[in-house]
Amino acid sequence: MASSVLIAPSILSADFAKLGEEVCAIDAAGADYVHVDVMDGHFVPNITIGPGVVKALRPYTVKTFDVHLMIAPVDPYVGAFAEAGADIITVHAEAGPHLHRTLQLVKGLGKKAGVSLNPGTPAEAVREVLGFVDLILVMSVNPGFGGQSFIESQLEKIRTLRGWIDTLDRTVHLEVDGGINAETASAVISAGADVLVAGTAAFTGGPDRYAENIRQLRGY
Ligand code: DX5
Ligand code: ZN
């Protein structure tokens, strides 16, 4: 099990009409990362945020911008998100066609590189890049929308990846995204996750609730 857990609220569940204020509020409430879900209407059936929004939000926090790119092709847009102020850039193993090249591109821009797996993709899809990435993101829902139910079968994938990561002599975060609430948080932490993305559970109830929401996800 990982020693300390980081909470990465997804601004997908924030009030889009007040995104700057929402980022400030979730930062003040104790978020470790600000998770930004980028969707293109092609790789996933929804369209959300582009690099212009990331750039506009950058002055609102010094916390890590954890940018999850659910887009294909992805390579042509990595530079724009890096320039906009992303700290971690996570791409999907399924976005193709050359995962290793995409990760080299991210690292070459001086950013932390993450790789994400959809629920239907086995852990083996990241094995060859394990020594090269800073973060692995296990999707515990099919990407595209907030508010979906956690897919239990992903716990075994998390355990497998935790086993592999623990054989490395460097830090690789293991992040889980989708359907995370106080109950599923505890299950994924036990399985070995050390970064939890939460949209609905973090932003529910408005700014006055954010600190308590985050506290419940941490489990203490
Ligand atoms: C889904 C996104 C998630 C999502 C999580 O495609 O990547 O980050 O916003 O939302 P909840 O926590 O509501 O499942
Ligand atoms: Zn995400």
Side-chain angles (χ1 to χ4, degrees):
M1 198 201 289
S3 52
S4 66
V5 171
L6 303 177
I7 305 297
S10 167
I11 59 168
L12 187 62
S13 298
D15 182 343
F16 271 27
K18 305 180 182 166
L19 273 182
E21 288 164 51
E22 291 278 70
V23 166
C24 287
I26 208 73
D27 175 340
D32 297 295
Y33 292 173
V34 176
H35 186 83
V36 183
D37 282 312
V38 177
M39 305 184 187
D40 65 352
H42 168 73
F43 182 71
V44 290
N46 196 3
I47 301 176
T48 56
I49 285 168
V53 174
V54 174
K55 187 175 179 188
L57 292 175
R58 188 63 281 189
Y60 286 84
T61 182
V62 297
K63 298 266 171 80
T64 295
F65 265 9
D66 174 30
V67 176
H68 177 193
L69 298 181
M70 288 163 272
I71 63 177
V74 61
D75 290 15
Y77 302 99
V78 165
F81 284 99
E83 205 172 311
D87 298 296
I88 304 169
I89 297 180
T90 296
V91 301
H92 269 261
E94 306 85 356
H98 301 290
L99 176 60
H100 193 281
R101 175 179 284 147
T102 306
L103 295 168
Q104 280 179 315
L105 175 62
V106 174
K107 300 286 267 187
L109 291 165
K111 303 299 178 179
K112 291 200 167 158
V115 58
S116 182
L117 295 172
N118 284 331
T121 304
E124 281 71 17
V126 298
R127 194 139 203 184
E128 292 297 327
V129 297
L130 209 60
F132 192 61
V133 294
D134 301 292
L135 178 147
I136 296 172
L137 171 54
V138 174
M139 289 307 302
S140 42
V141 298
N142 286 298
F145 303 95
Q148 303 181 77
S149 296
F150 183 82
I151 300 172
E152 292 282 334
S153 61
Q154 300 310 297
L155 288 171
E156 191 53 37
K157 191 191 291 180
I158 296 165
R159 278 191 280 270
T160 298
L161 288 163
R162 169 50 58 197
W164 293 352
I165 288 169
D166 284 349
T167 68
L168 303 172
D169 57 4
R170 46 191 289 276
T171 301
V172 176
H173 286 297
L174 183 52
E175 183 174 46
V176 182
D177 185 356
I180 297 295
N181 53 36
E183 191 183 324
T184 56
S186 151
V188 301
I189 293 165
S190 297
D194 63 359
V195 185
L196 309 186
V197 177
T200 309
F203 283 96
T204 201
D208 292 346
R209 292 284 307 167
Y210 295 168
E212 174 61 16
N213 292 346
I214 289 174
R215 195 192 64 72
Q216 286 192 11
L217 291 166
R218 289 191 203 282
Y220 53 82

